[in-house]
Amino acid sequence: MARRKMIYEGKAKILYEGPEPGTIVQYFKDDATAFNNQKKATLEGKGVLNNRISEFIMIGLMRAGIPTHFIRRLNMREQLVRQVEIIPLEVICRNVAAGSLCTRLGIEEGTALPRSIIEYCYKKDELGDPLVTEDHITAFNWASPQDLDDIIALTVRINDFLTGMFAAVGIQLVDFKLEFGRLYEGDMMRIVLADEISPDSCRLWDIETQEKMDKDRFRRDLGNVTEAYTEVARRLGVIKESGTVTNIEEVMK
Ligand code: C5P
């Protein structure tokens, strides 16, 4: 069998050409990076957990009517997704002050925000993904005003869905990062959610103890990173108490 073609290798994922035109295989690595690649580690099992958690969330979002690139999970580390034209933005949605918002504005971590705040970063590693405004986005044509309206509307709906989903299992959704792409179907184009949603891209705090259950455990050397991701997966019902992975169809019923 011919070796499949690698399209792109990112920090936590590899993209391969999919089996049919217009599809891509997204492979979840165990690698973790932070601070624009300055901190690196391999966290055994992280890729498997993120593949499962992201699958669970993408299926839930699709059932709630949110368009995504997700088609189906293929195996422990891979999922089949639609090929999209990635919009070069990291769309960050915040419910509680944490991370770079606190550093930038001098707000204490954990402060409830008066309302959810959406921020945009331009995806450019060499520049450290700088914060940009809607004016930059439309002036430089990274997204049209219509694209941006769709992105905002989808982000608000995703925030509502995820906030409720996590609250139901005792987890507070502090903030998260989304990526969007343009999906072309004949003459039509629509904006869909792309990439992944996992503890790598969200801040998740235990509602009772305020314990961090996300990538901040790695960024801040708090230890037990995969244990925290496993606990998120367990609470969502993606894996059973024993740690064995359950049938996703069972979980989604
Ligand atoms: O670092 P900052 O506070 O701006 O991060 C906000 C949210 O976006 C966090 O949940 C973080 O995990 C996520 N993020 C990400 N990838 C980046 C930057 C931030 O997933 N490159």
Side-chain angles (χ1 to χ4, degrees):
M1 205 168 81
R3 225 182 130 69
R4 61 193 169 168
K5 191 171 156 204
M6 188 171 91
I7 297 173
Y8 172 79
E9 175 154 14
K11 293 169 200 150
K13 288 190 293 293
I14 306 175
L15 302 183
Y16 296 98
E17 225 168 49
E20 294 119 41
T23 64
I24 284 190
V25 173
Q26 189 167 251
Y27 176 98
F28 287 74
K29 299 196 281 185
D30 282 344
D31 296 354
T33 66
F35 312 118
N36 202 19
N37 242 344
Q38 288 171 40
K39 181 170 177 163
K40 291 183 196 178
T42 302
L43 304 168
E44 207 180 320
K46 177 178 81 83
V48 174
L49 288 162
N50 281 356
N51 186 22
R52 287 285 181 159
I53 295 169
S54 196
E55 171 197 24
F56 179 81
I57 294 175
M58 290 284 177
I59 292 174
L61 287 170
M62 289 195 300
R63 287 189 180 170
I66 310 270
T68 85
H69 72 157
F70 183 83
I71 302 173
R72 66 190 154 88
R73 187 173 57 79
L74 296 171
N75 55 47
M76 294 288 274
R77 286 188 183 271
E78 294 178 331
Q79 42 185 253
L80 188 66
V81 301
R82 287 187 205 290
Q83 185 165 29
V84 297
E85 183 182 273
I86 287 286
I87 293 170
L89 295 174
E90 300 200 327
V91 179
I92 293 166
C93 181
R94 302 180 184 272
N95 300 310
V96 175
S100 69
L101 180 82
C102 298
T103 328
R104 213 180 319 125
L105 302 181
I107 300 171
E108 196 187 336
E109 185 158 87
T111 309
L113 297 172
R115 62 176 176 83
S116 302
I117 293 173
I118 297 179
E119 296 174 345
Y120 311 93
C121 294
Y122 178 42
K123 263 168 74 78
K124 200 88 177 159
D125 277 347
E126 310 90 277
L127 302 175
D129 300 335
L131 192 70
V132 292
T133 68
E134 293 188 9
D135 238 15
H136 294 118
I137 295 168
T138 52
F140 295 120
N141 217 9
W142 298 325
S144 69
Q146 179 60 56
D147 292 343
L148 204 47
D149 281 352
D150 292 352
I151 287 171
I152 294 167
L154 288 171
T155 302
V156 169
R157 287 171 63 198
I158 293 167
N159 187 33
D160 284 347
F161 178 89
L162 293 181
T163 299
M165 184 195 79
F166 281 118
V169 296
I171 295 174
Q172 183 176 31
L173 179 64
V174 172
D175 58 33
F176 57 97
K177 185 262 308 184
L178 302 174
E179 293 188 27
F180 292 93
R182 296 184 189 91
L183 178 64
Y184 293 94
E185 289 164 319
D187 293 346
M188 304 295 288
M189 182 282 286
R190 59 186 175 137
I191 303 288
V192 302
L193 177 66
D195 196 48
E196 68 175 283
I197 300 182
S198 72
D200 267 6
S201 59
C202 302
R203 282 200 175 88
L204 305 169
W205 295 353
D206 184 284
I207 286 177
E208 297 274 305
T209 65
Q210 296 289 287
E211 204 180 340
K212 297 183 198 311
M213 306 174 74
D214 55 66
K215 196 171 160 185
D216 272 350
R217 300 204 70 83
F218 168 69
R219 295 189 190 98
R220 302 181 189 187
D221 290 324
L222 299 174
N224 296 333
V225 187
T226 34
E227 288 79 356
Y229 284 37
T230 304
E231 176 61 11
V232 172
R234 193 194 62 76
R235 289 203 199 174
L236 291 175
V238 177
I239 56 173
K240 286 192 178 133
E241 299 292 327
S242 61
T244 54
V245 175
T246 53
N247 181 334
I248 195 74
E249 280 307 318
E250 248 169 57
V251 170
M252 296 306 301
K253 266 182 204 158

